[in-house]
Amino acid sequence: MSYLEATNELYKNAALTPDVGLCCTTNPIWQFPGLSIPKIMQEMNYGCGSTVSAQDLVNNPKVLYVGVGGGMELLQFSYFSRQVGGVTGVDVVDEMLEASKENFKIAEHENPWFKSEFVNLVKGDALHLPIEDESIDVAAQNCLFNIFKTEELKKAVAEMYRVLKPHGRLVMSDPICEQPMNETLRNDDRLRALCLSGSIPLKEYIKVLTDAGFGTIEIRARKSYRVLSPNHYPTEDLIFIESIEIAAIKDPMPQDGPCVFTGKTAIYYGNEEYFDDENGHVLMQNQPLAVCDKTAAALEKSNAEIHISNSTWHYNGGGCC
């Protein structure tokens, strides 16, 4: 059995018998006015963060969500895209698609505004999405891509890039790990399916996105996720795993490389009213400006009277680019 087959079997069972906290951390459930999330959807929330952000979801966007789970985030996306087929959910596991379909019937009873026809459930593979080129405004996945090995991860990201419209957004939550893992962990299909042993360093994760062509990357959250300890897992070292929430935007790639926002700010404290680097960045006296890592490095070299903060691993938009 391949690791992908092991993953499908795991989530087939999770669809038939909901398993609270199966592979992922307990995450706050975003509640919006007039939105009621059925209990069964919350129990089948197999994600490690959230991919739903109001800043991405304006003007009734066309949304794609890969790996439907119990349908919770599909319902949340529908809150912002109340149109027939406004949200498409793709999953390779028949039982998970059927479970989501049944959960939407419950959601209709709890939410007068919601209709099941707002969501189009489609059987499909993340590596070969059954979606037209450049037809999606916002694509999302939660705690799925970390399961893939390198070549499959590249294919999955390339597929998301293909279906997004220009300036469309790929919004994701996945575990990451900055420490090396031994081959026993890496090759354990069940631990990979459980969103553990497929975790890679953030720098590698971002490189897969930028290599696919995404010109802007936003790190929106970074938090603790799991510990793999020698008394529970086949490792001699204590391994710390985090989860991230990240957005990759299908902007043109800048000539000097991608803009990666990790929560840095720049503050000019010189004697002039403002500082202009003559490269599109104007810093007003003693006013913080969000900057990408590339701009932060350039500003630090250009003027000794600019304070550059450390990465906060939280970025909500605005700033230099």
Side-chain angles (χ1 to χ4, degrees):
M1 180 182 291
S2 72
Y3 81 93
L4 293 175
E5 291 171 331
T7 300
N8 293 346
E9 185 67 20
L10 181 75
Y11 287 96
K12 171 185 173 181
N13 294 331
L16 296 172
T17 306
D19 186 353
V20 178
L22 167 68
C23 65
C24 305
T25 188
T26 301
N27 200 63
I29 306 298
W30 292 120
Q31 299 282 2
F32 302 106
L35 171 62
S36 174
I37 299 175
K39 182 180 178 182
I40 184 64
M41 285 187 174
Q42 297 185 42
E43 291 175 347
M44 297 178 68
N45 174 26
Y46 304 135
C48 61
S50 178
T51 62
V52 182
S53 178
Q55 69 193 52
D56 302 320
L57 302 169
V58 297
N59 300 322
N60 284 325
K62 289 286 187 180
V63 180
L64 167 67
Y65 190 78
V66 181
V68 300
M72 185 186 79
E73 287 190 284
L74 291 165
L75 175 63
Q76 291 172 317
F77 279 122
S78 296
Y79 182 88
F80 295 92
S81 187
R82 304 184 187 190
Q83 55 184 309
V84 176
V87 179
T88 297
V90 174
D91 205 299
V92 73
V93 180
D94 291 321
E95 291 80 3
M96 198 63 82
L97 290 167
E98 186 60 31
S100 291
K101 182 179 178 181
E102 293 302 312
N103 291 348
F104 289 140
K105 293 178 182 178
I106 301 172
E108 281 187 328
H109 288 294
E110 295 188 14
N111 296 275
W113 58 268
F114 177 69
K115 301 183 188 317
S116 291
E117 62 190 18
F118 290 170
V119 182
N120 180 30
L121 292 172
V122 180
K123 182 170 183 177
D125 186 341
L127 308 181
H128 307 90
L129 290 172
I131 306 295
E132 294 182 4
D133 293 0
E134 298 189 353
S135 61
I136 298 296
D137 296 296
V138 177
Q141 66 83 21
N142 195 332
C143 213
L144 170 63
F145 282 12
N146 74 98
I147 292 171
F148 293 136
K149 294 184 178 179
T150 302
E151 291 308 309
E152 286 79 19
L153 176 60
K154 290 178 180 178
K155 288 179 183 178
V157 170
E159 277 292 274
M160 290 293 218
Y161 186 89
R162 174 183 66 81
V163 304
L164 281 170
K165 298 176 183 178
H167 307 291
R169 298 179 174 217
L170 170 56
V171 188
M172 303 178 290
S173 181
D174 268 318
I176 59 167
C177 182
E178 301 299 339
Q179 297 169 252
M181 289 192 195
N182 62 49
E183 290 303 305
T184 301
L185 284 171
R186 288 295 187 198
N187 294 325
D188 188 312
D189 292 343
R190 180 171 175 78
L191 291 181
R192 185 172 285 272
L194 287 171
C195 307
L196 296 172
S197 62
S199 307
I200 60 176
L202 178 59
K203 186 175 181 180
E204 292 182 23
Y205 192 101
I206 290 174
K207 187 175 188 303
V208 172
L209 296 170
T210 56
D211 283 352
F214 290 100
T216 302
I217 307 295
E218 300 177 353
I219 309 298
R220 295 179 172 179
R222 182 173 181 173
K223 51 196 174 184
S224 297
Y225 177 69
R226 288 286 191 274
V227 169
L228 304 185
S229 58
N231 57 317
H232 291 293
Y233 297 92
T235 173
E236 295 181 358
D237 302 311
L238 199 67
I239 298 175
F240 175 54
I241 302 178
E242 300 168 281
S243 69
I244 55 166
E245 295 172 13
I246 187 169
I249 304 174
K250 194 176 178 178
D251 289 337
M253 182 65 68
Q255 288 187 347
D256 58 350
C259 291
V260 179
F261 289 87
T262 64
K264 290 187 175 183
T265 57
I267 300 179
Y268 169 64
Y269 57 87
N271 294 323
E272 303 300 323
E273 182 179 355
Y274 63 88
F275 172 77
D276 185 348
D277 72 349
E278 299 184 351
N279 196 30
H281 311 111
V282 178
L283 280 70
M284 302 306 296
Q285 167 69 242
N286 212 26
Q287 295 295 312
L289 179 72
V291 291
C292 71
D293 290 8
K294 178 179 59 179
T295 298
L299 289 173
E300 197 165 32
K301 289 181 179 179
S302 67
N303 191 309
E305 297 177 315
I306 295 176
H307 175 268
I308 304 295
S309 75
N310 294 327
S311 296
T312 63
W313 309 110
H314 178 79
Y315 174 75
N316 264 342
C320 75
C321 298

